[in-house]
Structure formats: C-alpha cells, structure tokens
Amino acid sequence: MLERGRSRDREARFEALVGVVAEPLHRYLRRRADPGAVDDVLAETMLVLWRRLEDVPGLGTGRTADPAEVLPWCYGVARGCLANARRAEGRRLRLVERLARTTRAPVSWPGAQDIGDGELESALRRLGAVDREVLLLWAWEGLAPREIAEAIGTTPNAVSIRMHRAKRKLVVMLERKNGASAAHMSGEGQGRSDR
C-alpha cells in the first residue's frame, strides 16, 4: 500500500513537471532539430526526466513545479537527447552509405567470376543467416576464421566447420543452377582461410 502511494506521488510530480516543461522543450527542440525528429527527441527527453525525476532541481515533493527552477536543467537534458539523436542519425547515414558501397561489391573468392551476381546473391540468401555472415566476413571483409569467430562470438574451430559446410552448400546450390562450372569456387585450402 505504501509503495502504491509512492508511485502515485511520483506520477503526480512527473505530471506537474511535464505540465510546466513540455511546451518550452517542444519549442526549444523545434528550433534546433529536424522537424521529423522533434517528437522523438521530446519523447526521449521525457523518458530521461521520468528516470531522473529525483534529480530535477527545484521539483521538490509537491505537486507543482516552478518553471524558473526546473526548466534550465530540463533544457540540458533535452540538449543531451538531441546530441544523442544527431550522433545516432550520423551513424545510421554512415551505415547506409557503407551498405550502398558494399551491396554490389564483387565477391572475391576463386571461381566467383564464373557465376552471375544475381545467382550468387540468390544462393547466399538461401543459406542460414550465420552461414551467410561467416562466408561474407571471409569473402568480402577478408577475415580469417579466428577473426570471424571474434566477430560473431564463437570459436575459430566452429567457424572453420561452419565455413566449410556453408561453402559446400553454396557450391551445390550454384552447381544445380550452372552445372559443374561452379565446383571449383569453394577455394578450400586457399590462403585466405589460413591467416
């Protein structure tokens, strides 16, 4: 019962805070953020304010909040949330650019030039997600099994086994499509997997 009373008091304090800061923070963010991001950043700001309700200076224990005391601190929270959103958007844009550059990157293992990109992409899509990731880390990123193991969180031995089986599956799928011409593409024993 006591816990429920504390919860109601906390909710009432938060509602009082939101009543005072929501509109000023919204105006603040509208002037600084992209229009499509304003509501998301405001929501993130409110979440932080809820989590750190006890830290809001001047809020006290009552059901009212003095704008002069709470707003400066809340602007600081909004500013931090906006900076986080900008960093996240920058990371997202860099990832999209990187994916756009690598989507059509040539596959660089022996025999890959003998098959069409569409056929290879189709065969890769039919592999399991982990098998596909292992092969792409090996072929496109040039990682050795121990490096792949670190990237996906397993052992080098498990990666070697998975890579061998995935290559074999890929070869079988491509042979069905192209006949025997893709048989030499597995590249077992090539320098790339020995690093």
Side-chain angles (χ1 to χ4, degrees), residues 115-130:
I115 58 175
D117 283 346
E119 296 165 8
L120 179 58
E121 287 179 21
S122 175
L124 283 168
R125 276 194 302 271
R126 288 187 303 222
L127 289 175
V130 176

Side-chain angles (χ1 to χ4, degrees), residues 125-148:
R125 276 194 302 271
R126 288 187 303 222
L127 289 175
V130 176
D131 288 347
R132 182 174 48 251
E133 182 68 7
V134 165
L135 283 181
L136 293 178
L137 286 170
W138 171 73
W140 285 1
E141 309 306 328
L143 299 183
R146 66 180 168 72
E147 296 165 323
I148 296 169

Side-chain angles (χ1 to χ4, degrees), residues 16-32 38 42 45-46 49 66-68 70-72 74-75 78-79:
L17 178 65
V18 169
V20 168
V21 301
E23 188 55 37
L25 291 178
H26 192 258
R27 284 193 309 267
Y28 172 86
L29 292 169
R30 271 197 331 248
R31 287 189 292 268
R32 288 164 177 78
V38 170
L42 182 61
T45 302
M46 293 303 170
L49 292 177
D66 180 7
V70 297
L71 263 174
C74 294
Y75 282 135
R79 184 173 179 266

Side-chain angles (χ1 to χ4, degrees), residues 15-195:
E15 287 174 11
L17 178 65
V18 169
V20 168
V21 301
E23 188 55 37
L25 291 178
H26 192 258
R27 284 193 309 267
Y28 172 86
L29 292 169
R30 271 197 331 248
R31 287 189 292 268
R32 288 164 177 78
D34 293 328
V38 170
D39 290 337
D40 290 340
V41 177
L42 182 61
E44 183 65 27
T45 302
M46 293 303 170
L47 181 61
V48 172
L49 292 177
W50 170 257
R51 288 181 185 153
R52 299 194 56 200
L53 192 62
E54 303 308 318
D55 298 335
V56 179
L59 187 57
T61 58
R63 294 177 186 253
T64 61
D66 180 7
E69 291 187 38
V70 297
L71 263 174
W73 192 83
C74 294
Y75 282 135
V77 170
R79 184 173 179 266
C81 291
L82 181 58
N84 288 343
R86 286 177 176 157
R87 281 191 295 273
E89 180 65 10
R91 284 191 301 271
R92 187 189 71 76
L93 290 174
R94 286 190 299 276
L95 177 61
V96 167
E97 289 171 5
R98 183 174 170 213
L99 287 173
R101 284 192 310 267
T102 61
T103 298
R104 294 291 173 206
V107 178
S108 57
W109 62 66
Q113 65 276 11
D114 298 337
I115 58 175
D117 283 346
E119 296 165 8
L120 179 58
E121 287 179 21
S122 175
L124 283 168
R125 276 194 302 271
R126 288 187 303 222
L127 289 175
V130 176
D131 288 347
R132 182 174 48 251
E133 182 68 7
V134 165
L135 283 181
L136 293 178
L137 286 170
W138 171 73
W140 285 1
E141 309 306 328
L143 299 183
R146 66 180 168 72
E147 296 165 323
I148 296 169
E150 186 175 334
I152 66 171
T154 190
T155 65
N157 189 46
V159 166
S160 294
I161 292 168
R162 189 174 281 278
M163 188 174 357
H164 173 76
R165 290 178 182 164
K167 286 179 190 178
R168 200 168 48 206
K169 287 178 196 174
L170 194 61
V171 166
V172 167
M173 284 187 266
L174 293 170
E175 282 178 343
R176 285 185 195 146
K177 185 81 172 167
N178 296 327
S181 66
H184 65 283
M185 90 168 248
S186 67
E188 294 302 318
Q190 299 294 322
R192 196 177 274 268
S193 60
D194 300 342
R195 283 199 281 159

